[in-house]
Amino acid sequence: MWLLNCCSCNSDRLHINQLCASSRHNARCASCLLSVPPAVIMHLMQDKKVLKCFFFCPLQIRFLLLFSRQGKVRLQKWFTPLTDREKKKVIRDMIMLVLPRPPRSSNFLQWRDLKIVYKRYASLYFCAGLEQRDNELLALEVLHRYVELLDKYFGNVCELDIIFNFEKAYFILDEFLMGGEVLETSKFAVGATMEEADTLQETMEEYMSKPAY
Amino acid sequence: MPAPIRLRELIRTIRTARTQAEEREMIQKECAAIRSSFREEDNTYRCRNVAKLLYMHMLGYPAHFGQLECLKLIASQKFTDKRIGYLGAMLLLDERQDVHLLMTNCIKNDLNHSTQYVQGLALCTLGCMGSSEMCRDLAGEVEKLLKTSNSYLRKKAALCAVHVIRKVPELMEMFLPATKNLLSEKNHGVLHTSVVLLTEMCERSPDMLAHFRKLVPQLVRILKNLIMSGYSPEHDVSGISDPFLQVRILRLLRILGKSDDDSSEAMNDILAQVATNTETSKNVGNAILYETVLTIMDIKSESGLRVLAINILGRFLLNNDKNIRYVALTSLLKTVQTDHNAVQRHRSTIVDCLKDLDVSIKRRAMELSFALVNGNNIRGMMKELLYFLDSCDPEFKADCASGVFLAAEKYAPSKRWHIDTIMRVLTTAGSYVRDDSVPNLIQLITNSVEMHAYTVQRLYKALLDDISQQPLVQVASWCIGEYGDLLVSGQCEEEEPIQVTEDEVLDVLEGLLVSNLSTPVTRGYALTAIMKLSTRFSSVNRIKKVVSIYGSSIDVELQQRAVEYNALFKKYDHMRPALLERMPIMEKTATNGPTEIVQTNGETEPSVVESKHLPPVTQPSNQANDLLDLLGGNDVVPVIQTTMPTKPASAGGELLDLLGDLSLSGGPPPAPAPSVPTSQPPFLLDGLSSQPLFNDIAAAGIPPMTAYNKNGLKIDFTFERANPNPNIAVITIHASNSTEADMTDFVFQAAVPKTFQLQLLSPSSNVVPALNQGTVTQVIRVLNPQKQQLRMRIKLTYTLKGSAVQDLAEVNNFPPQSWQ
């Protein structure tokens, strides 16, 4: 597996795996998500823009998005560095792909070279982008566990809870996922640490008699 | 200055906005207030302001001016500030802005903080967005935390280490000592993240992989405990104990067992146990089974286990849950190459999935169905796939049509079946097929001599039904022109002959000329067909009239054809019968047929089109005839007529080259003249030959040569003349290696004298396999405007058995045909 300089954004994150190198596959830039056809890869490789050599791509969740049926983003977490413009493009694509899906479709989609796993909970769509080799059935469980955690924390969570307490939703997520990998598999641990951290926050508020945000 | 409004207040206000413009206005006002507050270095409300900014950022408004404020919050002593500050940093900053480096020191301090939650925040931020510089600076701290007894910090440190390794692989060694006791941990969070860390290390380095192989028994034990243990409320998911951990362990086992007999042996039992004991009524059980199947397929597992795995996928196919069916199709697609027969057993279920309502499933089922087609089942499978082609959404038609062409070409049981199938595709999905399918079908038809009458009848009937599918109409016109006599004579053994008169046929063709549905290319086909019929039918006068009418057509292409045909009637009438003779049978060449690439949703299937070298062909004695054969359906008639007799010597060389190419090596059918409305005589020929199909036919006539043969490395050159420019010689190098070791990092370079220009295209590979087991090909294009003798200096570098080899050579023995 190699990394090349991307021909579009010039970052050094154009992933070339065995299949790409043997001209069978498009390669993808991990920064701008540009898909590069084999012909161009050969050209780049010939230009000796090969920077690093390693064996594989990590198997992590690439991004997690929460958006409403109206297409409003409620939470976005990126585990690969992207520019704001690229992020907006991904968000737009996801919303356009997922919202019009007929009911009772499967929860998986192919988008560029990512697997998209989404699930609707009440009015909110939870949508994650996975690497090709990842287990999409388990990703559904990850989404479900996150919903359970939110539900436990807020008590019968609804979209409004997440809108008004979006920072809490992020804190919970950070206790559950880190760098695109599951951090804690216990159902109770996340809630317990959240509670403890929250009290830490409040006591400090009182101590400083400072207005909360 | 009054206190800024609270976050929740702001959210509430923004939500009252009725229009986008109103919302934007509110946000702009608030942003202005926040900016001025930032400018005043207000510490009390910074946290509140940043939090508000994060909300606006989520709505899609710019918030970059909060970046520095986040750093200030991180540096604050208060937990509330830090919490929002780190959150803001993760949302607003990433490794591409240099600002993030300012955090390094704060993170370092916080990693050594006395409160675990502060340490946790720092670890989380580092593990989420740390750049390689940051990782280098802080790896030591992460490693220290990986060894603490505090499981809250330990699990975060483990994932942070994963991130560090992803960013800076050479720091991997550093974490090796800390991994020693990771698997004896009881806490599932730590255990899970440790397995992730080990996976990362194993996948990155073969040394680590070898080192960690000894962990297989321990991993097997953990997995066994998980599936044997009773109900634990903390980790239970619908009756399954910690599926996240189970999947992770299975994945690590997969990597450890890959191409290693002992490890694979050690995990066979547990895999069988997981595969048989997992409860499959819920999604989560299937997630584990799916992972188990992948592991079984990847390691050196027993054959019984592999059958079990494929059967699990077969069961998945019958599952009510669409997700499971989708996963089954995807994984069967992966295994179809290795376990073809096992997958073949589930064929009928797979074909049923074509009828699924879900497009994701349909697409996978289509790809898998094409992968399953073979000589034995082609008739049945094609029936299903053609039915699918009929009813599927437009987005599938192009892929499905090319899949059908490909399969039909490979496995057609009979010529008639092949023609019927392609015709069926053209009638149902005509507008979706690729451009080259028309010439391909024409070639196929020409070559099946005994089918001519049958084909022309079928096509004529199809034409009566529908003239909207352009590719079909084009093929039909060509065939009617070519085999019109067979159509009218009503001789057909295969089917009930139809009775048509010459006038009826001409009516249909003229109908095509005037129809709105016809494209210019189709009209060209029709006109040429009518012209050809002038030697096959008796109604020459009618044809003359039609041709002369189009002599003033507004379409330049059509007009030119008509004028040329008119000239043929008037000036060269004695040559007309010979010129319009039936096309000879065309031999198949390597590049023919639908290109061997099936587009499957962006990914191209593996296919290596070997550039085949054609043996030199002797020039035929009667060149005039070859010239005439060219006519097929083209507009070159008068051009050749005029150029041939006048300057046989000068133009001869090039012309003959071209002609030799076309008629001798049996190129594909004379494709319709491409819609270049040029009327310069010489270019007409070029236009004809610039069809992509003709590419390597031009090689005929120039013998190959060996340019270099030393130390086991042999380099052969083969030649072709580039179309349309005869000044360009296209040389393909074929490097082969007769030593017993692969030559790696192979680079071929070439230089030519200044009067030439050279272009080196990319090589097919940089490894020349040992023992002549394959070749590396690379294309060189040499522009030689002065037609001088070709000379070339080549430089070769490669690595053989670890040592670099470099050599120079001069190539002077190019065959004269390659440059004259």
Side-chain angles (χ1 to χ4, degrees):
Chain A
M1 162 103 208
W2 301 277
L3 285 177
L4 298 189
N5 265 339
C6 173
C7 37
S8 150
C9 67
N10 211 28
S11 71
D12 60 348
R13 300 173 55 80
L14 186 62
H15 287 258
I16 310 288
N17 58 27
Q18 283 306 265
L19 282 175
C20 309
S22 52
S23 302
R24 294 175 190 174
H25 233 297
N26 284 9
R28 188 171 55 89
C29 171
S31 286
C32 61
L33 297 178
L34 173 87
S35 188
V36 182
V40 182
I41 299 172
M42 293 310 259
H43 179 75
L44 288 178
M45 288 177 73
Q46 204 184 9
D47 279 4
K48 301 202 180 58
K49 287 188 182 157
V50 180
L51 293 180
K52 287 176 207 162
C53 187
F54 63 90
F55 298 100
F56 85 120
C57 289
L59 257 179
Q60 62 189 126
I61 297 177
R62 291 283 162 166
F63 58 81
L64 178 73
L65 294 176
L66 265 65
F67 49 84
S68 68
R69 284 175 64 193
Q70 288 75 36
K72 288 260 187 214
V73 180
R74 297 304 180 205
L75 183 139
Q76 46 174 323
K77 187 86 186 168
W78 305 89
F79 299 109
T80 17
L82 295 178
T83 64
D84 281 350
R85 230 173 98 204
E86 292 149 8
K87 284 178 187 168
K88 278 193 179 149
K89 168 110 181 71
V90 176
I91 293 174
R92 203 169 51 234
D93 281 4
M94 287 306 113
I95 291 174
M96 266 166 38
L97 271 175
V98 169
L99 288 185
R101 294 266 292 173
R104 285 189 295 282
S105 305
S106 68
N107 295 80
F108 311 131
L109 283 168
Q110 184 73 38
W111 177 78
R112 300 197 187 168
D113 64 343
L114 290 186
K115 284 176 178 169
I116 306 300
V117 175
Y118 72 93
K119 187 151 182 168
R120 183 175 156 186
Y121 288 93
S123 57
L124 268 188
Y125 284 89
F126 289 65
C127 172
L130 314 183
E131 281 296 329
Q132 274 310 317
R133 299 185 303 156
D134 215 341
N135 184 332
E136 52 268 68
L137 295 178
L138 194 77
L140 277 178
E141 293 300 319
V142 172
L143 294 181
H144 186 72
R145 173 60 66 83
Y146 181 47
V147 175
E148 281 180 345
L149 293 173
L150 289 172
D151 201 58
K152 199 159 209 162
Y153 183 82
F154 289 109
N156 235 338
V157 69
C158 68
E159 193 185 339
L160 280 180
D161 289 322
I162 295 176
I163 295 172
F164 281 98
N165 302 287
F166 70 92
E167 81 286 358
K168 299 278 192 225
Y170 276 112
F171 296 152
I172 296 171
L173 185 62
D174 284 340
E175 292 296 331
F176 175 51
L177 290 181
M178 190 172 139
E181 307 281 359
V182 173
L183 177 66
E184 179 55 69
T185 65
S186 154
K187 285 176 184 170
F188 309 137
V190 175
T193 46
M194 275 300 289
E195 233 167 76
E196 221 173 302
D198 281 351
T199 47
L200 195 65
Q201 190 174 317
E202 254 109 57
T203 48
M204 251 189 183
E205 301 306 349
E206 285 155 16
Y207 177 70
M208 301 296 295
S209 70
K210 194 187 135 211
Y213 51 85
Chain B
M1 186 182 143
I5 60 166
R6 284 164 168 261
L7 168 67
R8 323 277 173 225
E9 201 72 39
L10 175 76
I11 298 176
R12 209 165 291 129
T13 327
I14 290 176
R15 282 175 59 79
T16 60
R18 268 160 311 189
T19 61
Q20 199 73 44
E22 208 177 319
E23 181 184 291
R24 205 174 309 130
E25 201 182 325
M26 284 175 183
I27 299 235
Q28 266 162 9
K29 219 170 105 197
E30 188 57 34
C31 276
I34 292 175
R35 272 174 202 269
S36 68
S37 168
F38 284 163
R39 254 198 310 276
E40 287 163 22
E41 291 293 331
D42 173 83
N43 284 328
T44 334
Y45 295 108
R46 182 176 291 130
C47 176
R48 182 185 289 186
N49 282 332
V50 170
K52 285 192 283 191
L53 210 49
L54 294 182
Y55 182 73
M56 295 190 248
H57 174 252
M58 189 148 62
L59 294 180
Y61 293 92
H64 50 273
F65 58 90
Q67 289 172 346
L68 276 176
E69 304 301 312
C70 292
L71 301 186
K72 289 179 194 158
L73 284 177
I74 293 172
S76 152
Q77 287 306 307
K78 297 169 194 107
F79 184 67
T80 315
D81 285 355
K82 278 192 189 298
R83 230 180 173 190
I84 293 291
Y86 277 120
L87 178 62
M90 282 190 272
L91 289 173
L92 302 182
L93 280 170
D94 70 52
E95 59 179 50
R96 266 168 311 184
Q97 289 112 4
D98 288 335
V99 187
H100 85 274
L101 288 175
L102 301 175
M103 295 202 312
T104 313
N105 214 23
C106 285
I107 294 187
K108 190 168 194 152
N109 290 338
D110 284 347
L111 287 175
N112 295 314
H113 203 274
S114 55
T115 318
Q116 63 166 359
Y117 295 106
V118 176
Q119 290 172 290
L121 281 177
L123 278 171
C124 183
T125 309
L126 179 61
C128 182
M129 56 160 297
S131 61
S132 41
E133 288 161 66
M134 224 155 139
C135 288
R136 268 181 231 277
D137 287 345
L138 299 174
E141 263 74 18
V142 175
E143 198 261 350
K144 224 182 294 162
L145 289 175
L146 190 55
K147 288 194 260 184
T148 60
S149 54
N150 180 339
S151 56
Y152 177 76
L153 291 176
R154 215 168 165 201
K155 68 185 183 198
K156 290 201 168 187
L159 284 191
C160 211
V162 171
H163 181 81
V164 171
I165 294 173
R166 279 179 192 164
K167 287 283 164 196
V168 197
E170 57 267 31
L171 289 176
M172 190 166 10
E173 300 273 313
M174 174 175 188
F175 296 103
L176 192 57
T179 56
K180 208 181 272 171
N181 301 317
L182 281 177
L183 286 186
S184 46
E185 177 69 44
K186 288 280 173 293
N187 181 301
H188 282 215
V190 180
L191 211 47
H192 182 269
T193 52
S194 308
V195 176
V196 175
L197 177 61
L198 294 178
T199 312
E200 188 76 22
M201 293 168 94
C202 288
E203 284 210 86
R204 285 207 185 262
S205 135
D207 296 342
M208 292 288 172
L209 183 62
H211 175 79
F212 287 124
R213 282 234 165 85
K214 62 173 195 273
L215 292 179
V216 171
Q218 209 177 344
L219 287 166
V220 167
R221 206 157 48 236
I222 297 173
L223 191 53
K224 191 172 251 164
N225 284 338
L226 274 177
I227 46 178
M228 292 307 188
S229 70
Y231 176 77
S232 116
E234 195 176 354
H235 297 109
D236 178 83
V237 179
S238 341
I240 288 179
S241 183
D242 209 339
F244 302 103
L245 183 55
Q246 286 197 37
V247 165
R248 267 302 176 175
I249 294 177
L250 285 166
R251 199 172 282 169
L252 181 54
L253 286 177
R254 172 153 90 232
I255 295 159
L256 293 172
K258 202 167 192 170
S259 45
D260 185 85
D261 292 319
D262 294 343
S263 313
S264 299
E265 170 83 41
M267 58 187 83
N268 263 330
D269 282 351
I270 188 74
L271 291 177
Q273 218 170 340
V274 178
T276 43
N277 288 353
T278 306
E279 168 68 43
T280 58
S281 56
K282 293 271 164 44
N283 175 60
V284 55
N286 289 316
I288 292 179
L289 271 186
Y290 175 41
E291 199 69 32
T292 314
V293 169
L294 294 182
T295 302
I296 292 173
M297 303 314 266
D298 256 19
I299 67 167
K300 296 196 154 186
S301 43
E302 292 160 0
S303 62
L305 208 51
R306 296 182 84 84
V307 173
L308 180 66
I310 298 260
N311 285 341
I312 290 176
L313 293 179
R315 265 205 326 265
F316 276 6
L317 277 180
L318 299 169
N319 202 301
N320 279 331
D321 188 340
K322 282 183 196 297
N323 292 336
I324 314 267
R325 287 209 295 276
Y326 177 86
V327 164
L329 290 169
T330 317
S331 5
L332 285 173
L333 198 57
K334 275 186 220 147
T335 49
V336 72
Q337 302 302 339
T338 46
D339 298 74
H340 189 87
N341 289 331
V343 181
Q344 200 67 259
R345 242 175 286 144
H346 301 285
R347 197 175 65 227
S348 61
T349 331
I350 293 165
V351 170
D352 279 344
C353 290
L354 285 174
K355 301 184 186 87
D356 208 292
L357 292 174
D358 190 303
V359 283
S360 305
I361 293 181
K362 260 192 214 174
R363 179 166 289 281
R364 292 284 183 231
M366 181 182 85
E367 288 165 8
L368 191 52
S369 300
F370 279 121
L372 288 178
V373 173
N374 62 23
N376 298 326
N377 60 25
I378 176 120
R379 282 174 191 269
M381 287 297 281
M382 270 312 151
K383 222 170 107 195
E384 296 287 345
L385 284 162
L386 286 172
Y387 178 74
F388 174 72
L389 181 66
D390 258 352
S391 56
C392 69
D393 303 333
E395 53 173 304
F396 290 112
K397 294 212 171 178
D399 287 344
C400 189
S402 55
V404 170
F405 284 154
L406 189 69
E409 170 152 330
K410 253 192 190 153
Y411 303 112
S414 72
K415 281 259 167 80
R416 168 163 176 179
W417 182 91
H418 193 174
I419 290 172
D420 283 349
T421 306
I422 298 188
M423 235 142 69
R424 173 87 186 274
V425 174
L426 288 180
T427 36
T428 52
S431 35
Y432 298 96
V433 299
R434 295 156 38 124
D435 290 342
D436 60 355
S437 51
V438 171
N440 283 329
L441 179 55
I442 291 180
Q443 184 192 7
L444 178 72
I445 293 170
T446 335
N447 291 354
S448 357
V449 180
E450 66 290 353
M451 306 288 299
H452 284 168
Y454 165 74
T455 317
V456 71
Q457 275 210 15
R458 283 275 323 252
L459 283 165
Y460 181 74
K461 276 190 218 155
L463 211 51
L464 291 179
D465 289 342
D466 182 9
I467 55 164
S468 61
Q469 307 277 2
Q470 294 304 305
L472 183 76
V473 176
Q474 290 167 6
V475 176
S477 320
W478 191 90
C479 289
I480 293 175
E482 199 68 9
Y483 313 116
D485 46 338
L486 299 175
L487 177 63
V488 193
S489 69
Q491 294 166 333
C492 180
E493 292 152 13
E494 309 261 341
E495 225 173 44
E496 179 82 2
I498 47 165
Q499 295 303 324
V500 279
T501 63
E502 293 181 357
D503 277 335
E504 276 169 351
V505 176
L506 287 174
D507 282 344
V508 170
L509 289 175
E510 282 181 43
L512 293 180
L513 279 172
V514 294
S515 163
N516 296 334
L517 297 166
S518 303
T519 61
V521 177
T522 310
R523 294 207 175 99
Y525 270 97
L527 190 66
T528 310
I530 292 178
M531 182 64 194
K532 282 192 210 162
L533 289 179
S534 71
T535 60
R536 294 161 177 69
F537 284 5
S538 52
S539 37
V540 180
N541 282 334
R542 182 175 172 182
I543 292 171
K544 264 188 192 164
K545 219 158 104 196
V546 175
V547 169
S548 66
I549 288 173
Y550 282 89
S552 55
S553 167
I554 196 165
D555 181 347
V556 184
E557 169 76 22
L558 211 55
Q559 186 189 35
Q560 188 187 340
R561 281 181 195 233
V563 168
E564 288 163 359
Y565 294 155
N566 229 347
L568 201 54
F569 272 125
K570 288 189 180 131
K571 289 191 208 154
Y572 303 100
D573 209 34
H574 58 286
M575 290 191 78
R576 191 164 52 89
L579 277 170
L580 300 175
E581 245 178 19
R582 193 161 292 174
M583 291 291 292
I585 288 177
M586 296 173 259
E587 278 164 35
K588 226 164 152 45
T589 53
T591 40
N592 278 345
T595 318
E596 297 171 41
I597 289 171
V598 195
Q599 282 286 343
T600 49
N601 120 66
E603 303 161 23
T604 33
E605 283 296 301
S607 83
V608 184
V609 183
E610 300 241 337
S611 50
K612 194 170 150 193
H613 175 246
L614 294 161
V617 192
T618 45
Q619 294 275 335
S621 50
N622 189 348
Q623 280 148 354
N625 263 352
D626 298 329
L627 256 176
L628 300 178
D629 284 345
L630 256 180
L631 289 177
N634 274 291
D635 45 349
V636 285
V637 193
V639 181
I640 295 168
Q641 284 300 313
T642 48
T643 50
M644 257 297 282
T646 48
K647 21 179 203 166
S650 66
E654 277 167 56
L655 256 176
L656 291 182
D657 248 9
L658 264 173
L659 295 170
D661 298 344
L662 283 172
S663 48
L664 300 183
S665 52
S675 47
V676 258
T678 39
S679 44
Q680 288 289 317
F683 295 133
L684 274 175
L685 278 173
D686 288 338
L688 175 70
S689 46
S690 67
Q691 292 282 323
L693 288 167
F694 288 75
N695 258 338
D696 59 350
I697 305 156
I702 309 180
M705 59 172 277
T706 301
Y708 178 92
N709 196 350
K710 215 192 265 180
N711 304 333
L713 177 64
K714 183 165 173 242
I715 296 193
D716 291 319
F717 283 4
T718 57
F719 303 91
E720 51 193 270
R721 202 49 78 71
N723 297 309
N725 186 348
N727 288 335
I728 295 181
V730 180
I731 306 173
T732 312
I733 74 154
H734 306 262
S736 56
N737 166 10
S738 56
T739 64
E740 65 261 42
D742 288 353
M743 293 176 177
T744 55
D745 305 323
F746 174 77
V747 178
F748 171 90
Q749 288 165 306
V752 285
K754 282 218 173 62
T755 45
F756 301 87
Q757 276 177 36
L758 176 135
Q759 185 189 10
L760 213 60
L761 304 187
S762 38
S764 60
S765 156
N766 64 352
V767 178
V768 195
L771 304 169
N772 292 325
Q773 276 167 344
T775 58
V776 171
T777 57
Q778 187 167 8
V779 175
I780 315 173
R781 291 153 63 98
V782 180
L783 178 63
N784 182 6
Q786 298 167 21
K787 301 232 177 259
Q788 291 183 337
Q789 171 158 17
L790 204 52
R791 283 184 300 135
M792 191 181 282
R793 186 168 291 163
I794 59 175
K795 181 180 171 187
L796 300 152
T797 51
Y798 55 88
T799 311
L800 183 62
K801 295 179 190 159
S803 57
V805 183
Q806 186 173 347
D807 199 12
L808 287 167
E810 188 105 4
V811 188
N812 293 325
N813 52 341
F814 283 97
Q817 298 97 312
S818 66
W819 45 271
Q820 271 165 0

